[in-house]
Amino acid sequence: MAPDDKNRATAAAILPLVGGAQNITSVAHCMTRLRLGLADRSLVQDEALKALPAVMGVVEDDTYQIVLGPGTVARVTPEFEAMVTEGRAEAPAEHALTAEELAEQGAAMKEARKAKNATPFKLFLRRIANIFVPLIPALIGCGIIAGINGLLINLEWLPAITPALAAIASGFMALIAVFVGFNTAKEFGGTPILGGAVAAIIVYAGVANIEAFGQKLSPGQGGVLGALGAAVLATYIEKWCRKWVPEALDVLVTPTLTVLLSGLVTIFGLMFLAGEVSTGIGTAANWLLDNTGAFAGLVLGGLFLPLVMLGLHQALIPIHTTLIEQQGYTVLLPILAMAGAGQVGCAIAVFKRLKHNTSIRTTIKSALPAGFLGVGEPLIYGVSLPLGRPFITACVGGAAGGAFVGFFSMIGDKVGSTAIGPSGWALFPLLDGNKGLGLTVAIYGGGLLVGYLVGFFATYFFGFSKQMLLELNTDTAPSPSPAPSDAPATTPPPEKQPATA
């Protein structure tokens, strides 16, 4: 089957299982998940959806999220959107009222869930993620090119090409503040180009001639944090102008006042303040790993999976981006990636322990390749989290791998990533550090190995109680009818109690 046909078939299989086109209120995607707004959650057929070959798992948050994996989700989403549009156009007119009532009912249910589960802090973090996540493909592409260029320079190969590769790899990072400003204004309800215009002040070379707080400013001072703050300010000024400026003058006065006022505040306040915060983040990260590397790695690697479960990992995105801006790489991501290694080791142990549970073993076999590449959702939601104890032992594996990488950072061998997004084996092309590439790769690879092994042994020996094994280690596939026999009937065994974690 051609790739386009395969993606279309996946979208066609998903649509009826989520209630059809009339049940879809919004469609979006991130790195691995198709995110759907639903009018009526009860119309979704969860088990049938999970059984689709292309679906790695499902997650319910403020949107219904279907895990398809990196690459696949970006190709399936446009096909799905097209089918939703076609389905709505083909819907009979007499069903309009029913769909309307259904949408109102679904909206009420959705708002009730949001009120119960969402907190202002989580909503803020979700907004921050919406600003930075669209930048990840460019960060990955430029980061890989930077890694290739560094390798060519070290090997003294293609000297005529390496300056061009350096320009390609660095161009985006030089202007990343502009993209952050654009996305910030868009997310907070302003005019995106005005947010980008204000953020562009931060990277303009001419700011070197301006003095603020008794110091000369430098281009890029404040970085992405300054750009974010400047664009938020511009959005609020723009909204104020839209409210008070007469319509006849709006097209001239509003953008002028927005850029002027927010620009002055950015130059004479935000650039300096955000620069101090950015410098503090870099200093704190380096101090933490230089002085408490093994312990810091243990805590970060061990707690990252729970942070992901709570959605709090999104708070780390601007920190990663700030470190990449300052140092060329983030020292935190390779440590956090060890959580995925613990998850993989855990899954292999579950596979070994539950030799007779064909259902769980099939899930692991299909999800494990993605796990090695750093896509952990299928293993988390399909294996370790539902089982309980294995989720904890997976965190133990992540803690061990994080401590390993953190220890080497403490003795001066830093391991970093030039981009955010990938993890596991997919992070190898993005690795960088303060020593040679060979040592950096070896330390990261060693951390993965430690995470695999500790996650495996912790789960194998401590991940199951006797009752859990008794309950779970059975063949879930339907068995064929037994042949007639003259043997006397036996009394069936007593019903087993459900396992507890």
Side-chain angles (χ1 to χ4, degrees), residues 173 188 208 485:
M173 288 306 304
F188 282 84
S485 172

Side-chain angles (χ1 to χ4, degrees), residues 275-487:
E276 293 299 301
V277 173
S278 298
T279 301
I281 288 174
T283 302
N286 288 328
W287 182 91
L288 188 68
L289 293 179
D290 289 345
N291 294 277
T292 66
F295 177 74
L298 183 143
V299 172
L300 291 172
L303 293 182
F304 188 62
L305 286 180
L307 285 177
V308 172
M309 296 302 306
L310 296 172
L312 300 179
H313 65 297
Q314 295 168 342
L316 298 171
I317 296 176
I319 296 176
H320 288 312
T321 310
T322 298
L323 292 174
I324 292 171
E325 241 189 343
Q326 286 183 342
Q327 305 173 5
Y329 52 81
T330 168
V331 292
L332 299 179
L333 186 58
I335 291 176
L336 299 176
M338 296 302 116
Q343 181 66 57
V344 168
C346 162
I348 296 173
V350 172
F351 187 87
K352 290 289 187 183
R353 289 290 264 167
L354 303 183
K355 294 181 179 180
H356 301 296
N357 192 315
T358 55
S359 176
I360 291 179
R361 286 167 65 89
T362 299
T363 299
I364 293 173
K365 282 191 287 187
S366 63
L368 202 55
F372 278 112
L373 294 175
V375 181
E377 288 99 331
L379 291 175
I380 293 173
Y381 296 109
V383 181
S384 65
L385 190 61
L387 293 176
R389 277 196 188 186
F391 182 76
I392 297 173
T393 53
C395 293
V396 172
F404 180 89
V405 176
F407 170 78
F408 280 94
S409 183
M410 189 167 60
I411 63 175
D413 300 321
K414 288 189 180 354
V415 177
S417 169
T418 56
I420 57 177
S423 184
W425 293 0
L427 199 62
F428 277 109
L430 297 168
L431 291 177
D432 197 1
N434 62 339
K435 298 293 178 68
L437 182 61
L439 180 60
T440 300
V441 169
I443 294 172
Y444 179 72
L448 289 179
L449 184 60
V450 170
Y452 295 152
L453 292 175
V454 174
F456 175 86
F457 286 113
T459 305
Y460 193 91
F461 291 108
F462 305 106
F464 297 92
S465 65
K466 291 182 178 179
Q467 183 63 30
M468 287 176 67
L469 286 175
L470 183 66
E471 179 70 24
L472 294 169
N473 200 17
T474 57
D475 190 353
T476 56
S479 56
S481 300
S485 172
D486 294 332

Side-chain angles (χ1 to χ4, degrees), residues 9-367:
T10 298
I14 291 173
L15 185 56
L17 300 180
V18 292
Q22 300 300 322
N23 196 39
I24 306 300
T25 60
S26 66
V27 180
H29 75 88
C30 60
M31 287 289 291
T32 60
R33 304 177 188 180
L34 174 63
R35 296 171 179 258
L36 304 178
L38 302 174
D40 186 350
R41 170 66 178 81
S42 66
L43 297 179
V44 178
Q45 302 176 44
D46 295 289
E47 296 306 318
L49 200 56
K50 294 175 184 177
L52 293 179
V55 174
M56 299 177 177
V58 296
V59 181
E60 189 169 4
D61 196 0
D62 62 319
T63 57
Y64 190 80
Q65 302 169 17
I66 303 171
V67 183
L68 299 175
T72 301
V73 69
R75 292 168 173 82
V76 170
T77 300
E79 301 287 352
F80 188 86
E81 287 179 312
M83 289 181 179
V84 169
T85 303
E86 292 170 7
R88 288 173 179 166
E90 294 170 359
E94 59 267 21
H95 291 299
L97 184 60
T98 304
E100 205 171 280
E101 292 173 348
L102 191 63
E104 290 176 1
Q105 178 188 357
M109 293 169 60
K110 182 177 178 181
E111 288 303 317
R113 285 200 310 272
K114 278 189 175 182
K116 181 179 179 181
N117 298 324
T119 64
F121 183 60
K122 283 190 177 181
L123 293 175
F124 173 75
L125 291 181
R126 194 168 292 123
R127 280 192 158 186
I128 296 298
N130 290 341
I131 293 167
F132 286 93
V133 166
L135 307 179
I136 289 178
L139 285 168
I140 293 172
C142 294
I144 290 176
I145 293 170
I148 294 172
N149 191 52
L151 182 62
L152 292 176
I153 291 174
N154 290 336
L155 297 174
E156 298 183 353
W157 289 356
L158 304 175
I161 300 296
T162 51
L165 292 179
I168 294 169
S170 304
F172 173 74
M173 288 306 304
L175 297 174
I176 189 172
V178 179
F179 296 101
V180 169
F182 185 95
N183 286 349
T184 300
K186 181 179 179 181
E187 178 64 25
F188 282 84
T191 302
I193 198 64
L194 292 180
V198 175
I201 298 168
I202 292 173
V203 296
Y204 175 57
V207 298
N209 301 319
I210 302 172
E211 189 173 296
F213 294 94
Q215 299 178 12
K216 287 280 188 180
L217 296 176
S218 58
Q221 185 173 341
V224 295
L225 298 182
L228 194 155
V232 169
L233 175 63
T235 297
Y236 281 103
I237 292 175
E238 181 189 358
K239 289 180 178 179
W240 182 88
C241 290
R242 300 285 185 204
K243 183 177 180 180
W244 295 104
V245 174
E247 288 185 12
L249 300 175
D250 182 72
V251 70
L252 297 175
V253 175
T254 297
T256 303
L257 286 178
T258 298
V259 174
L260 177 62
L261 296 178
S262 56
L264 289 172
V265 174
T266 298
I267 291 171
F268 292 107
L270 285 176
M271 284 186 68
F272 175 82
L273 295 175
E276 293 299 301
V277 173
S278 298
T279 301
I281 288 174
T283 302
N286 288 328
W287 182 91
L288 188 68
L289 293 179
D290 289 345
N291 294 277
T292 66
F295 177 74
L298 183 143
V299 172
L300 291 172
L303 293 182
F304 188 62
L305 286 180
L307 285 177
V308 172
M309 296 302 306
L310 296 172
L312 300 179
H313 65 297
Q314 295 168 342
L316 298 171
I317 296 176
I319 296 176
H320 288 312
T321 310
T322 298
L323 292 174
I324 292 171
E325 241 189 343
Q326 286 183 342
Q327 305 173 5
Y329 52 81
T330 168
V331 292
L332 299 179
L333 186 58
I335 291 176
L336 299 176
M338 296 302 116
Q343 181 66 57
V344 168
C346 162
I348 296 173
V350 172
F351 187 87
K352 290 289 187 183
R353 289 290 264 167
L354 303 183
K355 294 181 179 180
H356 301 296
N357 192 315
T358 55
S359 176
I360 291 179
R361 286 167 65 89
T362 299
T363 299
I364 293 173
K365 282 191 287 187
S366 63

